[in-house]
Amino acid sequence: GPFAARIAETGSLWGLHFTDPLYLNWFYPQNSELLHADGLLLFGNDFLSPLINLGWLGLALLAAWCVGRPYGASAATVAAVAALMSADLLSSRQPGNANNDVVAIALFVSSVAILLNTRWLPRALPVGALAVAGLAAGLSLGTKLTVVPPVLALSAGVIVIAGAGERIRAAAVWIGALVVGG
C-alpha cells in the first residue's frame, strides 16, 4: 500500500520510501505495486487492490492445478496452495490490502506449472515455453526478494534437465527471460 501510494503520488519509481526502520523494504522490487498504483490513479483510492489480489489468487490456484495435472494430483496441489494462501500470516495480516506475497507465489507456481507441463523432446528444446516460464520466474523475483532461493533452485534444475547438448541454449533463454521479467 505505501509503495503504491507513493508511486501514484509522485509519479516516480526512483525515490525511496522509508516505511520500516528495521527491514530494507524500501529496496524491494516493486512489480506488483505498479499495478496497485495504477488502480489508485484510476479510481483515486485503493478500491481495486483486493480485486487485483483475488485475481492473483486465482492464478495461483490455476497454476497449482496445472502442477498436479500431469501426475493426476490436481486436487492435492490445489489444496496445498490453498492451505499456503490461507496460512495465518497471509490471512490474518494481508486480506484486502496491496501486499505482494500472493503475487510472488502465483508467478513462481506458474513458472513451475509451465515447466512441468512442457513436454521435453529428446532433440528439441521448447524455447518458447522455457522463455515464458523464465519470464514468470523473473516477474516473481521482481515482486518479492524472498523467492530468490526457490528461483535459483528452479534455475539449476532447468539447466541440468535440459540435457548435455542443450544446456547453453537453455541457460541463455532462461537467464535472458529472468532478466527481462525481473
Side-chain angles (χ1 to χ4, degrees), residues 32-107:
S32 69
E33 283 82 355
L34 289 173
L35 292 175
H36 292 288
D38 290 340
L40 285 169
L41 290 172
L42 185 63
F43 286 102
N45 58 28
D46 61 349
F47 170 75
L48 280 184
S49 289
L51 300 175
I52 291 171
N53 278 355
L54 281 175
W56 288 112
L57 175 64
L59 177 66
L61 294 175
L62 174 64
W65 183 85
C66 292
V67 165
R69 189 189 64 80
Y71 308 105
S74 296
T77 55
V78 168
V81 169
L84 175 68
M85 293 299 194
S86 66
D88 185 49
L89 178 64
L90 288 175
S91 66
S92 67
R93 295 179 49 202
Q94 297 185 13
N97 65 15
N99 283 352
N100 55 11
D101 294 331
V102 66
V103 179
I105 292 169
L107 289 168

